[in-house]
């Protein structure tokens, strides 16, 4: 008894959903092939024993085409286990059967588990499990992992998993074609298909329409951005006020305990101030953006985006799946980098990795929203203002996507020469998003994550900045020395020393760029007093900010060195110093170049 | 019986039976895995702008292929 159970199967059949149900963990699931790129481990009590469940990335065959499939193949073929549960798609049984047959040729103790039975019922598909089990010679079960039906019977079989699958029935390592034909024969004997309705196809013809696809995509994205910005205003204000009063309370408490002046200031103004800013300004928009985005993901819209964008990526000599990794980068650049494992060709994978930080991530959105709101939208609020803000943010996003395509083309023409490889993308059926689960998972996970990051990064950063601002050498604070040093260089790009330093210090996490910047501008860092972004406008104007400064800062926020997590992830994925350095240099040079261009042209025409 | 054409030339809405795949081993294996093998039935569904890529119904799933790859598959319209 190894007490291990492996879950194998095609992409997007519900392995991770089943895994979550069995282990109670919260693996990220999404309605597109390639969501799981690494193996996951969880535990389950089964008949008194603790079993380890291993969730593998989806694969169409044991002959791998990409790193995530290779990982799955290695696990399926070599990992010691009590049994392998091959999860199949009831609506697409033939293809799942192909993998099952391949696995059965190489391993014993296979259990076939047909998932998505609820969807099959809706489509009028009936499966004769007795006939299936007879033909295959292994136990077969029909389940719905999302609803939980049939799972207990499956587990019973898995618990007593010393099965002999009669492997002398099949030749070892048959030709793919032979297996395909055998799979077809098995399915013909056990599956009854009915007339398919295909409402989904009708929707697809609209969403991928030659003309309407792009406007629909832009409008949807605009909608999500607008909801995130406008919906976040009130919660942000509430949180700010709450934290401000808490801060005063804490300050009085520390004074009561006779803590020294400088300690009080460092804790309240430095650490607390920065952390609280991150939470109250950064958190609400993200708490709205993420559930909405995950809703689209669960629906199955992302592969359609990749379908529509593929032509553009072909022109850039890259892989259409890069559209999917780009979407992942919107959430977190580092996740976008690991997601690149779904790309088959190493050349195209590298292009996707190197360009992943050209789209704004979760951590950069707050900086962008803050600057856009401050300089281009005005402080009154109201419908028009939030629409304008969302439109500008969309423009920034589109710029990021454009830069991704342009840089991919550039890389294909220079250091990563080659032709685009073959590309096959599965468009899964539309599925009803599990709204309740999404809300809980996104809001809770996101909230906890941002809070965690705030504590881990913003707090020390706040303390560090406070120290820099209050430790003096030769009459000037350390902070003034540093920013003064960076200032002349920064001015070329229409930024100043403080902004540049804020970006440098924001290397661990992009969320802290604005708080660090503000604290540096203020001599004693009383961020806690600010109730809304509107209070910042006079402060920035005082420091010499113009609309040009804002534009360049926005551009640089979009295109600068990737955060530390992303850099480490690129290193782990590429195992090469050369590519990691390029991943840092590419966005930075693009950012500096663009700022220089914009600044110079504006000055040339005397516009600022 | 109609003669074989390239899959990329199959009009949307038409069904066809797959005859052969050009012998580019990596592509051929990949396509076989996904269900494109001689004898299988497929149907062209819809295309993106410029007609590339196109979505095909194969083994009850929808798979999108680029024109350059669909060019390598020969089919007989039904």
């Amino acid at each position: 008894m190894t007490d291990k159970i492996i879950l194998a199967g095609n992409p997007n059949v519900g392995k991770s959903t089943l895994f979550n149900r069995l282990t109670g963990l919260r693996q990220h699931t999404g309605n597109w092939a390639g969501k799981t790129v690494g193996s996951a481990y969880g535990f389950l009590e089964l008949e008194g024993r603790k079993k380890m469940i291993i969730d593998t990335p989806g694969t169409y065959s044991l002959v791998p085409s990409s790193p995530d499939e290779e990982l799955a193949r290695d696990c399926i073929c070599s990992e010691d286990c009590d049994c392998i549960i091959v999860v199949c798609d009831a609506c697409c049984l033939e293809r799942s059967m192909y993998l099952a047959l391949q696995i059965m040729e190489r391993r014993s103790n296979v259990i076939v588990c047909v998932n998505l039975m609820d969807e099959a019922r809706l489509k009028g598909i009936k499966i004769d499990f007795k006939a299936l089990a007879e033909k295959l010679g292994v136990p077969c079960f029909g389940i719905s992992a999302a609803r939980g039906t049939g799972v207990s019977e499956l587990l019973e079989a898995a618990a007593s998993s010393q099965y002999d699958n009669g492997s002398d029935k099949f030749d070892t390592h048959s030709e793919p074609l032979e297996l395909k034909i055998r799979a077809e024969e098995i399915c013909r004997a056990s599956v009854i298909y009915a007339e398919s309705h295909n409402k989904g196809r009708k929707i697809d013809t609209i969403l991928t329409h030659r003309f309407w696809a792009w406007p629909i995509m832009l409008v949807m994205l605009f909608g999500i951005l607008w909801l995130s910005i406008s919906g976040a205003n009130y919660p942000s204000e509430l949180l700010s006020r709450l934290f401000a009063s808490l801060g005063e309370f804490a300050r009085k408490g520390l004074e009561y305990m006779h803590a020294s002046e400088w300690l009080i200031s460092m804790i309240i103004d430095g650490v607390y101030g920065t952390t609280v800013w991150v939470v109250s300004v950064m958190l609400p928009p993200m708490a709205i953006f993420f559930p909405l985005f995950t809703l689209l993901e669960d629906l199955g819209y992302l592969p359609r985006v990749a379908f529509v964008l593929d032509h553009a990526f072909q022109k850039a000599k890259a892989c259409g799946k890069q559209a999917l990794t780009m979407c992942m980068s919107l959430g977190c650049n580092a996740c976008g980098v690991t997601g690149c494992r779904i790309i088959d060709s190493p050349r195209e994978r590298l292009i996707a990795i190197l360009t992943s930080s050209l789209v704004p991530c979760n951590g950069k959105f707050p900086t962008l929203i803050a600057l856009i709101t401050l300089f281009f939208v005005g402080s009154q609020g109201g419908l028009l203002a939030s629409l304008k803000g969302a439109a500008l943010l969309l423009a920034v996003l589109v710029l990021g996507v454009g830069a991704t395509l342009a840089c991919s083309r550039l890389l294909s023409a220079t250091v990563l020469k080659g032709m685009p490889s073959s590309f096959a993308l599965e468009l899964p059926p539309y599925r009803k998003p599990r709204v309740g689960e999404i809300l809980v998972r996104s809001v809770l996970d996101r909230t906890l994550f941002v809070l965690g990051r705030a504590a881990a990064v913003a707090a020390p950063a706040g303390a560090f900045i406070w120290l820099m601002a209050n430790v003096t050498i030769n009459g000037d604070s350390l902070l003034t020395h540093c920013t003064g040093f960076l200032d002349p260089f920064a001015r070329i790009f229409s930024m100043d020393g403080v902004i540049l330093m804020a970006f440098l210090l924001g290397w661990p996490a992009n969320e802290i760029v604005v708080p660090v910047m503000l604290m540096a501008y203020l001599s004693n860092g009383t961020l806690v007093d600010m109730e809304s972004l509107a209070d910042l406008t006079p402060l920035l104007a005082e420091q010499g900010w113009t609309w040009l400064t804002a534009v360049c800062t926005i551009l640089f926020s979009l295109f600068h060195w990737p955060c530390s997590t992303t850099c480490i992830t690129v290193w782990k994925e590429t195992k090469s110093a050369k590519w990691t350095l390029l991943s840092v240099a590419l966005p930075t040079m693009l950012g500096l170049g663009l700022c220089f261009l914009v600044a110079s042209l504006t000055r040339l025409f005397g516009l600022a | 019986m109609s003669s074989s054409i390239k899959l990329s030339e199959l009009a949307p809405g038409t069904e066809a039976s797959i005859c052969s795949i050009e012998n580019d081993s990596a592509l051929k294996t990949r396509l076989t895995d996904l269900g494109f093998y001689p004898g299988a039935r497929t149907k062209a569904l819809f295309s993106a702008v410029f007609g590339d890529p196109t979505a095909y119904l194969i083994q009850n799933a929808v798979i999108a292929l680029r024109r350059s790859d669909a060019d390598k598959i020969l089919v007989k319209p039904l």
Side-chain angles (χ1 to χ4, degrees):
Chain A
M1 274 266 180
T2 59
D3 284 329
K4 283 190 195 165
I5 298 174
I6 297 179
L7 297 178
N10 284 164
N12 205 22
V13 294
K15 291 182 296 308
S16 295
T17 311
L18 180 61
F19 177 82
N20 286 349
R21 182 167 280 280
L22 295 179
T23 60
L25 287 179
R26 286 204 296 264
Q27 281 304 101
H28 283 245
T29 60
N31 191 8
W32 51 282
K35 183 66 187 181
T36 307
V37 288
S39 290
Y41 304 85
F43 294 92
L44 169 72
E45 257 303 309
L46 201 57
E47 291 185 4
R49 293 184 78 100
K50 190 173 177 192
K51 302 272 190 191
M52 180 196 277
I53 316 274
I54 305 175
D55 181 20
T56 58
T59 180
Y60 292 111
S61 150
L62 288 183
V63 178
S65 311
S66 51
D68 59 333
E69 293 204 340
E70 221 179 293
L71 217 133
R73 188 272 310 267
D74 289 340
C75 184
I76 294 168
C77 291
S78 1
E79 183 94 28
D80 277 332
C81 63
D82 286 341
C83 79
I84 297 186
I85 298 177
V86 182
V87 185
C88 304
D89 183 348
C91 305
C92 197
L93 197 58
E94 256 186 79
R95 199 178 61 197
S96 300
M97 205 44 43
Y98 174 66
L99 178 67
L101 290 173
Q102 278 191 330
I103 296 178
M104 278 162 57
E105 282 191 338
R106 288 161 175 80
R107 304 210 65 168
S108 56
N109 304 344
V110 175
I111 297 178
V112 166
C113 159
V114 181
N115 191 21
L116 300 166
M117 288 300 293
D118 46 336
E119 285 189 17
R121 199 173 306 121
L122 287 174
K123 292 190 180 155
I125 298 175
K126 292 195 180 61
I127 301 181
D128 181 351
F129 283 96
K130 245 178 89 181
L132 193 62
E134 239 181 79
K135 281 262 175 186
L136 286 174
V138 297
C140 298
F141 297 92
I143 70 165
S144 162
R147 304 222 180 147
T149 47
V151 179
S152 39
E153 288 93 334
L154 173 69
L155 285 178
E156 261 180 56
S160 47
S161 51
Q162 295 298 329
Y163 273 95
D164 170 41
N165 69 336
S167 49
D168 47 75
K169 278 192 202 158
F170 300 103
D171 305 313
T172 38
H173 303 240
S174 317
E175 281 297 312
L177 204 55
E178 278 179 53
L179 286 179
K180 275 287 174 189
I181 295 172
R182 200 166 277 150
E184 196 190 347
E185 182 210 319
I186 292 174
C187 290
R188 218 180 305 133
S190 28
V191 183
I192 304 165
Y193 293 101
E195 199 47 53
S196 44
H197 304 277
N198 289 320
K199 236 182 300 176
R201 298 266 173 81
K202 293 208 187 79
I203 299 177
D204 266 336
T205 32
I206 303 172
L207 288 180
T208 61
H209 192 271
R210 290 174 134 88
F211 182 70
W212 292 112
W214 283 82
I216 292 178
M217 247 180 2
L218 288 171
V219 166
M220 277 223 236
L221 199 52
F222 175 76
I224 295 182
L225 292 174
W226 178 73
L227 282 170
S228 305
I229 296 180
S230 57
N233 280 331
Y234 191 54
S236 280
E237 243 173 88
L238 276 180
L239 282 173
S240 286
R241 268 191 234 138
L242 174 70
F243 287 129
S245 15
L246 273 176
E248 277 319 299
F249 186 72
R251 187 193 297 270
K252 293 212 174 66
L254 285 172
E255 280 168 3
Y256 182 73
M257 291 195 289
H258 302 294
S260 51
E261 263 299 320
W262 71 265
L263 185 66
I264 295 179
S265 186
M266 183 172 95
I267 293 178
I268 302 292
D269 299 328
V271 178
Y272 185 73
T274 320
T275 314
V276 148
W277 173 276
V278 171
V279 174
S280 58
V281 175
M282 314 316 205
L283 186 64
M286 291 306 110
I288 302 174
F289 179 82
F290 263 87
L292 289 176
F293 191 75
T294 315
L295 222 82
L296 274 187
E297 209 186 2
D298 248 31
L299 198 61
Y301 183 56
L302 290 192
R304 274 82 187 170
V305 171
F307 183 79
V308 170
L309 291 179
D310 179 58
H311 187 78
F313 278 99
Q314 256 193 84
K315 282 275 175 339
K317 304 238 194 301
C319 180
K321 288 190 190 160
Q322 199 173 331
L324 291 169
T325 62
M326 207 171 62
C327 289
M328 286 195 269
S329 288
L330 273 181
C332 168
N333 283 160
C335 296
V337 173
T338 22
C340 292
R341 289 186 199 170
I342 62 175
I343 298 177
D344 312 4
S345 128
R347 180 189 77 92
E348 289 169 351
R349 199 179 319 131
L350 261 176
I351 293 180
I353 290 176
L354 291 173
T355 54
S356 67
S357 53
L358 292 175
V359 284
C361 67
N362 186 8
K364 294 184 198 164
F365 265 42
T367 313
L368 295 169
I369 294 174
L371 289 171
I372 289 175
T373 314
L374 276 175
F375 274 89
F376 302 102
V377 170
S379 47
Q380 294 95 336
L383 185 66
L384 199 63
S386 58
L387 284 173
K388 204 166 147 192
L392 286 168
L393 190 56
L394 182 67
V396 169
L397 236 155
V398 169
L399 183 62
V401 174
T404 306
L405 288 167
C407 286
S408 301
R409 186 67 182 85
L410 181 68
L411 288 169
S412 287
T414 53
V415 282
L416 284 167
K417 282 204 181 70
M419 292 310 293
S421 66
S422 67
F423 162 79
L425 174 76
E426 178 163 7
L427 297 178
Y430 287 108
R431 301 204 157 105
K432 206 165 78 159
R434 284 157 291 166
V435 182
E437 203 185 298
I438 290 177
L439 279 177
V440 168
R441 202 211 317 146
S442 308
V443 177
L444 224 62
D445 281 354
R446 263 301 119 186
T447 316
L448 290 177
F449 181 71
V450 173
L451 285 177
R453 264 239 291 211
V457 180
F464 181 70
I465 284 287
W466 187 92
L467 279 169
M468 293 249 293
N470 288 283
V471 168
T472 53
I473 295 180
N474 295 342
D476 275 330
S477 68
L478 273 177
L479 193 66
T480 319
H481 281 291
C482 287
T483 55
F485 175 71
L486 291 169
D487 206 70
F489 179 68
R491 295 275 167 193
I492 306 174
F493 306 98
S494 190
M495 293 187 278
D496 65 24
V498 169
I499 301 174
L500 202 54
M501 195 196 60
F503 278 117
L504 283 167
L505 288 174
W507 187 63
N510 279 296
E511 287 99 327
I512 66 173
V513 168
V514 170
V516 163
M517 204 168 69
L518 295 175
M519 285 184 70
Y521 281 139
L522 297 165
S523 52
N524 53 2
T526 49
L527 270 183
V528 188
D529 290 352
M530 283 188 206
E531 291 203 345
S532 73
L533 282 177
D535 299 331
L536 290 176
T537 325
L539 168 69
L540 292 175
E542 236 176 84
Q543 298 293 333
W545 275 57
T546 64
W547 68 267
L548 180 62
T549 322
V551 167
C552 288
T553 310
I554 288 173
L555 282 175
F556 200 65
S557 171
L558 185 56
F559 304 126
H560 69 281
W561 43 84
C563 69
S564 59
T565 319
T566 308
C567 287
I568 295 173
T569 314
V570 172
W571 166 261
K572 279 204 265 194
E573 294 290 309
T574 60
K575 306 226 191 327
S576 149
K578 175 172 97 168
W579 296 123
T580 312
L581 281 173
L582 188 56
S583 78
V584 170
L586 183 64
T588 310
M589 293 199 293
L590 181 63
L592 289 176
L594 265 178
C595 288
F596 181 71
L597 199 67
V598 168
S600 313
L601 283 175
T602 313
R603 287 183 192 139
L604 193 70
F605 291 113
L607 292 169
Chain B
M1 263 299 196
S2 38
S3 57
S4 44
I5 57 168
K6 292 190 208 162
L7 182 60
S8 50
E9 293 165 353
L10 191 67
T14 344
E15 273 194 61
S17 159
I18 297 182
C19 301
S20 64
I21 304 176
E22 200 179 286
N23 207 5
D24 167 355
S25 61
L27 177 67
K28 196 168 179 180
T29 317
R30 197 41 155 154
L31 289 174
T32 311
D33 292 344
L34 289 169
F36 293 94
Y37 59 93
R41 283 171 73 135
T42 181
K43 180 174 169 187
L45 294 172
F46 49 83
S47 309
V49 70
F50 304 119
D52 191 0
T54 304
Y56 299 97
L57 183 65
I58 187 97
Q59 289 199 313
N60 229 21
V62 178
I63 306 279
L65 292 179
R66 284 180 172 169
R67 171 166 289 157
S68 51
D69 299 327
D71 276 347
K72 302 203 175 111
I73 305 175
L74 289 175
V75 302
K76 229 182 215 131
L78 294 167

